Amino acid sequence: MAARGLMAQHDPAEVDRESIVDAAGVRPEDFDRHFQDMSVLWQSVATAMVRDMADVQRSLYGMRCSVPDRLSRTLDYALDAFERSPDGYRAIRRMVDAPGPAGDHARGMLQGILTEITCQLGVLHGWDEEPELTAQCLYAQLLRIFDHWQAHPEHMTRKRIQTFVMQHLRLGRTELATADA
């Protein structure tokens, strides 16, 4: 948790062992015994952050509801999380942008979640596009939208973003009302 908090405030390259030990209030030897080196720590942080997202995704997919409703709830969750914790978003963003094994792991897990979402969209809309390629496009678009929202909150509102994404993914009210028919 200390590393996640520091990542939200600083570039991960600037976060060192000493700052994490201080923030966590642990002894350096306990840190070393548990993590061995910083790469193990970053791998653990990436895994925990993306596992949190995957747990939410699994709980949403466990719901008995239509695909459009499930996807709109997933979007609601992402927007709620962003509004509650912009620092949390920054930490996730830095992790997926990080080079090396930790960044690869975070990107892979996030890509897996988005691939699952695009498979659902493909079934819903009859798309024959490759789900992994569609997921890459969705991944890039969503990150840029959230980055823009964070950089320009005076120009963006949650409602505006939600409406745009719902229309872009063709999850508007008309389809929500007829999806189960």
Side-chain angles (χ1 to χ4, degrees), residues 3-33:
R4 286 171 78 164
L6 289 170
M7 281 181 53
Q9 300 168 5
H10 308 283
D11 185 323
E14 297 171 3
V15 177
D16 60 10
R17 177 182 162 274
E18 290 74 28
S19 61
I20 295 168
V21 166
D22 288 344
V26 298
R27 297 179 320 166
E29 53 271 14
D30 292 336
F31 177 91
D32 294 340
R33 187 171 32 262

Coordinates of all heavy atoms in Angstrom, one line a residue, residues 3-33:
A3 N 3.8 1.6 -1.3 CA 4.4 1.7 -2.7 C 3.3 2.3 -3.6 O 3.6 3.2 -4.5 CB 4.9 0.4 -3.2
R4 N 2.1 1.8 -3.5 CA 1.0 2.3 -4.3 C 0.8 3.8 -4.1 O 0.6 4.6 -5.0 CB -0.3 1.5 -4.1 CG -0.3 0.1 -4.7 CD -1.4 -0.7 -4.3 NE -2.7 -0.4 -5.0 CZ -3.7 -1.2 -5.0 NH1 -3.7 -2.3 -4.3 NH2 -4.8 -0.8 -5.6
G5 N 0.8 4.2 -2.9 CA 0.6 5.6 -2.5 C 1.7 6.5 -3.1 O 1.4 7.6 -3.6
L6 N 2.9 6.0 -3.0 CA 4.1 6.8 -3.5 C 4.0 6.8 -5.0 O 4.4 7.9 -5.6 CB 5.4 6.2 -3.0 CG 5.7 6.3 -1.5 CD1 6.9 5.5 -1.1 CD2 5.9 7.8 -1.2
M7 N 3.6 5.7 -5.7 CA 3.5 5.7 -7.1 C 2.5 6.7 -7.6 O 2.6 7.3 -8.7 CB 3.1 4.4 -7.6 CG 4.2 3.4 -7.7 SD 3.6 1.8 -8.3 CE 2.8 2.3 -9.8
A8 N 1.4 7.0 -6.8 CA 0.4 7.9 -7.2 C 0.9 9.4 -7.2 O 0.5 10.2 -7.9 CB -0.8 7.8 -6.3
Q9 N 2.0 9.6 -6.4 CA 2.5 10.9 -6.2 C 3.8 11.2 -7.0 O 4.1 12.3 -7.2 CB 2.8 11.2 -4.7 CG 1.5 11.1 -3.9 CD 1.9 11.0 -2.4 OE1 3.0 11.2 -2.0 NE2 0.9 10.8 -1.6
H10 N 4.5 10.1 -7.3 CA 5.8 10.3 -8.0 C 5.9 9.3 -9.1 O 5.3 8.3 -9.2 CB 6.9 10.0 -7.0 CG 6.8 10.8 -5.7 ND1 7.1 12.1 -5.6 CD2 6.4 10.4 -4.5 CE1 6.9 12.5 -4.4 NE2 6.4 11.5 -3.7
D11 N 6.8 9.6 -10.0 CA 7.2 8.7 -11.1 C 7.8 7.4 -10.4 O 8.7 7.6 -9.5 CB 8.3 9.3 -12.0 CG 8.7 8.5 -13.1 OD1 8.7 7.3 -13.0 OD2 8.9 9.1 -14.2
P12 N 7.4 6.2 -10.8 CA 8.0 5.0 -10.1 C 9.5 5.0 -10.2 O 10.1 4.4 -9.2 CB 7.4 3.9 -11.0 CG 6.1 4.4 -11.5 CD 6.4 5.9 -11.8
A13 N 10.1 5.6 -11.2 CA 11.6 5.6 -11.2 C 12.2 6.4 -10.1 O 13.3 6.2 -9.7 CB 12.1 6.1 -12.6
E14 N 11.4 7.3 -9.5 CA 11.9 8.1 -8.4 C 11.6 7.5 -7.0 O 12.1 8.0 -6.0 CB 11.2 9.5 -8.5 CG 11.5 10.3 -9.7 CD 10.7 11.5 -9.8 OE1 9.9 11.8 -8.9 OE2 10.8 12.2 -10.8
V15 N 10.8 6.4 -7.0 CA 10.4 5.8 -5.8 C 11.5 4.7 -5.5 O 11.6 3.8 -6.2 CB 9.0 5.2 -5.8 CG1 8.7 4.4 -4.5 CG2 8.0 6.2 -6.1
D16 N 12.2 4.9 -4.4 CA 13.2 3.9 -4.0 C 12.9 3.1 -2.8 O 11.9 3.4 -2.1 CB 14.6 4.6 -3.9 CG 14.6 5.7 -2.8 OD1 13.6 5.8 -2.0 OD2 15.6 6.4 -2.7
R17 N 13.7 2.2 -2.5 CA 13.5 1.3 -1.3 C 13.3 2.1 0.0 O 12.4 1.8 0.8 CB 14.7 0.3 -1.3 CG 14.7 -0.6 -0.1 CD 16.0 -1.5 -0.1 NE 16.2 -2.1 1.1 CZ 16.9 -1.5 2.1 NH1 17.4 -0.3 2.0 NH2 17.1 -2.2 3.2
E18 N 14.2 3.1 0.2 CA 14.2 3.8 1.4 C 12.9 4.6 1.6 O 12.3 4.6 2.7 CB 15.4 4.8 1.5 CG 16.7 4.1 1.7 CD 17.2 3.4 0.4 OE1 16.9 3.8 -0.7 OE2 17.9 2.4 0.5
S19 N 12.4 5.2 0.5 CA 11.1 5.9 0.6 C 9.9 5.0 1.0 O 9.0 5.3 1.7 CB 10.8 6.8 -0.6 OG 10.7 5.9 -1.7
I20 N 10.0 3.8 0.4 CA 8.9 2.8 0.7 C 9.0 2.3 2.1 O 8.0 2.2 2.8 CB 8.9 1.7 -0.4 CG1 8.6 2.2 -1.8 CG2 8.0 0.6 0.0 CD1 8.9 1.2 -2.9
V21 N 10.2 2.0 2.5 CA 10.4 1.5 3.9 C 9.9 2.6 4.9 O 9.2 2.3 5.9 CB 11.9 1.2 4.1 CG1 12.2 1.0 5.6 CG2 12.3 -0.1 3.4
D22 N 10.3 3.9 4.6 CA 9.8 5.0 5.5 C 8.3 5.1 5.5 O 7.7 5.2 6.5 CB 10.5 6.3 5.1 CG 11.9 6.4 5.4 OD1 12.4 5.6 6.2 OD2 12.6 7.3 4.8
A23 N 7.7 5.1 4.3 CA 6.3 5.3 4.2 C 5.5 4.1 4.8 O 4.4 4.3 5.4 CB 5.9 5.4 2.7
A24 N 6.1 2.9 4.7 CA 5.4 1.7 5.3 C 5.6 1.5 6.7 O 4.9 0.8 7.4 CB 5.8 0.5 4.5
G25 N 6.7 2.2 7.2 CA 7.0 2.0 8.7 C 7.5 0.6 9.0 O 7.2 0.1 10.1
V26 N 8.3 0.1 8.1 CA 8.9 -1.3 8.3 C 10.4 -1.1 8.4 O 11.0 -0.1 8.0 CB 8.5 -2.3 7.3 CG1 7.0 -2.5 7.2 CG2 9.0 -1.8 5.9
R27 N 11.0 -2.2 8.9 CA 12.5 -2.2 9.0 C 13.0 -2.6 7.6 O 12.4 -3.4 6.9 CB 12.9 -3.2 10.0 CG 12.5 -2.8 11.4 CD 12.9 -3.8 12.5 NE 12.8 -5.2 12.0 CZ 13.3 -6.3 12.6 NH1 14.0 -6.1 13.7 NH2 13.2 -7.5 12.0
P28 N 14.2 -2.0 7.2 CA 14.7 -2.4 5.9 C 15.0 -3.9 5.7 O 14.7 -4.4 4.6 CB 16.1 -1.6 5.9 CG 15.8 -0.5 6.8 CD 14.9 -1.0 7.9
E29 N 15.4 -4.6 6.8 CA 15.7 -6.0 6.6 C 14.4 -6.8 6.4 O 14.4 -7.8 5.8 CB 16.5 -6.6 7.8 CG 15.9 -6.3 9.2 CD 16.4 -4.9 9.8 OE1 16.9 -4.1 9.1 OE2 16.1 -4.7 11.0
D30 N 13.3 -6.3 7.0 CA 12.0 -7.0 6.7 C 11.6 -6.8 5.3 O 11.1 -7.7 4.7 CB 10.9 -6.5 7.7 CG 11.1 -6.8 9.1 OD1 11.8 -7.9 9.4 OD2 10.6 -6.1 10.0
F31 N 11.8 -5.6 4.8 CA 11.5 -5.3 3.4 C 12.3 -6.3 2.5 O 11.8 -6.9 1.6 CB 11.8 -3.9 3.0 CG 11.6 -3.5 1.6 CD1 10.3 -3.1 1.1 CD2 12.6 -3.7 0.7 CE1 10.1 -2.8 -0.2 CE2 12.4 -3.4 -0.7 CZ 11.2 -2.9 -1.1
D32 N 13.6 -6.3 2.7 CA 14.5 -7.1 1.9 C 14.2 -8.6 2.0 O 14.2 -9.3 1.0 CB 16.0 -6.9 2.4 CG 16.5 -5.5 2.1 OD1 15.9 -4.8 1.3 OD2 17.5 -5.1 2.8
R33 N 13.8 -9.1 3.2 CA 13.4 -10.5 3.3 C 12.2 -10.8 2.5 O 12.1 -11.9 1.9 CB 13.2 -10.8 4.8 CG 13.0 -12.3 5.1 CD 13.0 -12.7 6.6 NE 12.5 -11.7 7.5 CZ 13.3 -10.9 8.3 NH1 14.6 -10.9 8.1 NH2 12.7 -10.0 9.1

